[in-house]
């Protein structure tokens, strides 16, 4: 419940500490899981002091227990071990310090760890963090590679030496961090985020050598998995050996069986690429050569054709035939014109002979009335009627005599 206080009536420190202790006393015993980071077993002391740490969130809490409680698991529990304790929260008022009083300690076995990892794997997989469509392709030739590994570790040496042997010009941005223990998870996450924030980093390799299931636990931590899933830079997981499969392998864009394998998959081999370029160049040269030879043969065949070799021969062969046809056509047309001319002359003569003008030339005249009607009989005219007389050389007017 809230406590009423004002600047005029503040609570003493002792009262606040007492109230906090009262609230904490109301809490019952709880099962707590963590990793032992500090262990103090003083000879002759009846109480054992240890620190329990949550590696995922970098939070620690002090734990005390009677020696008899710890002696039951002393042979299998040491610093760095993961344990589950049944403890009740306690508040030490004089120092304002929270601790846990443990009444039972159980070591976390490998089977339990694997079962929990399998549950976490299913939960993260259901969220789609391991989906194939989320995987980002690696660049063909990365200019700057981010490397997260242990300081002076075999994994660091394997990645650097193999990568530089394959492509001497490759550059690395290295982050040395603890790769096991209580400080591993937050520092690995921080290193991955720092490298992902660098625009020049093309790919990130998280590498570690082999180890036990407990040693590789930081790379199955949920916080690290989510941090890698949110990276915009492709991430390569190179943890342990081929049989080792931490959850980082599933969320990473590429899984490498070993750190050496990571270097081979991320960095192309300059010798292999040179041979590939040479082979492609030779193949291109052969293709161009074959194409030119094929076109040359086709051109030679085309030039060997009679119509191309002597294009005027067909014209020369047809010239005499064309000349004969032209002469024949000319003669035929001449005959037709001569015959037509003769027929025209005869027709003209007949027309002239039958023409009224020819009759007028022989002394005849044609009488026409005023309306142009030709007079053919005496009764067609009347006395004193004017008529027009047409003769061969012209016409004149005549009058009918009564």
């Amino acid at each position: 419940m809230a406590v009423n206080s004002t600047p005029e009536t503040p609570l003493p420190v002792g009262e606040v500490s007492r109230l906090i202790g009262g609230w904490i006393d109301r809490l019952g015993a709880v099962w707590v899981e963590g990793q032992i980071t500090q262990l103090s077993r003083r000879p002759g002391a009846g109480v054992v002091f240890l620190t329990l740490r949550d590696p995922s969130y970098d939070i620690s809490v002090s734990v005390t227990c009677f020696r008899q409680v710890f002696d039951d698991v002393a042979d299998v529990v040491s610093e760095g071990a993961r344990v589950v304790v049944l403890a009740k929260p306690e508040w030490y008022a004089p120092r304002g310090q929270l601790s846990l009083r443990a009444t039972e300690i159980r070591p976390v076995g490998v089977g339990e760890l694997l079962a929990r990892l399998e549950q976490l794997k299913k939960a993260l997989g259901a969220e789609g963090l391991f989906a194939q469509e989320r995987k980002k392709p690696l660049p063909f030739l990365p200019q700057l590679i981010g490397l997260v590994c242990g300081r002076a570790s075999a994994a660091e040496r394997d990645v650097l030496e193999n990568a530089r042997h394959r492509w001497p010009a490759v550059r690395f941005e290295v982050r040395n961090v603890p790769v096991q223990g209580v400080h591993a998870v937050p520092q690995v996450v921080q290193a991955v985020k720092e490298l992902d924030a660098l625009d020049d980093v093309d790919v990130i390799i998280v590498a570690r050598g082999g180890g036990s299931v407990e040693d590789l636990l930081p790379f199955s931590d949920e916080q690290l998995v989510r941090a890698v899933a949110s990276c915009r830079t492709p991430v390569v997981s190179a943890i342990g050996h081929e049989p080792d499969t931490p959850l980082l392998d599933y969320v990473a864009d590429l899984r490498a069986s070993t750190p050496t394998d990571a270097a081979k998959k991320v960095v192309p081999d300059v010798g292999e690429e040179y041979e590939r370029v040479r082979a492609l160049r030779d193949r291109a040269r052969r293709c161009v050569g074959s194409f030119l030879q094929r076109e040359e043969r086709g051109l030679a065949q085309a030039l060997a054709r009679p119509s191309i070799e002597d294009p005027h021969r067909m014209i020369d062969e047809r010239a005499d035939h064309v000349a004969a046809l032209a002469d024949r056509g000319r003669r035929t047309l001449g005959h037709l014109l001569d015959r037509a001319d003769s027929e025209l002359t005869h027709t003209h003569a007949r027309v002239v002979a039958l023409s009224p003008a020819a009759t007028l030339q022989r002394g005849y005249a044609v009488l026409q009335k005023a309306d142009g009607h030709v007079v053919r009989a005496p009764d067609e005219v009347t006395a004193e009627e004017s008529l027009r007389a047409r003769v061969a050389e012209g016409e004149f007017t005549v009058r009918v005599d009564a």
Side-chain angles (χ1 to χ4, degrees), residues 129 134 136 193 196 225-233 251:
L129 297 185
R134 290 176 58 93
K136 295 178 285 293
K193 290 182 177 179
D196 185 53
V225 171
R226 294 188 182 279
V228 171
S230 62
C231 285
R232 60 176 180 83
T233 307
V251 73

Side-chain angles (χ1 to χ4, degrees), residues 10 12 35 42 49 61 77 86 127 133 169 220 265 271 320 353 361 400 402:
Q35 188 173 19
R42 297 177 182 176
F49 298 90
V61 65
V77 170
L86 177 62
E127 294 183 24
E133 54 269 19
S220 293
K265 289 183 175 180
D320 295 339
Q361 289 289 343
V400 178

Side-chain angles (χ1 to χ4, degrees), residues 153-212:
S153 61
E156 179 181 9
R157 183 178 63 255
D158 290 345
V159 173
L160 295 180
E161 290 182 358
N162 282 278
R164 287 167 178 162
H165 176 73
R166 293 172 65 83
W167 198 278
V170 69
R171 296 181 296 115
F172 281 89
E173 184 72 23
V174 181
R175 294 290 186 273
N176 294 123
V177 296
V179 290
Q180 69 182 59
V182 294
H183 301 290
V185 173
Q187 295 197 31
V188 171
V189 170
Q190 181 63 27
V192 170
K193 290 182 177 179
E194 288 180 3
L195 293 175
D196 185 53
L198 298 177
D199 295 333
D200 295 338
V201 174
D202 298 318
V203 63
I204 300 173
I205 299 176
V206 182
R208 187 203 190 283
S212 63

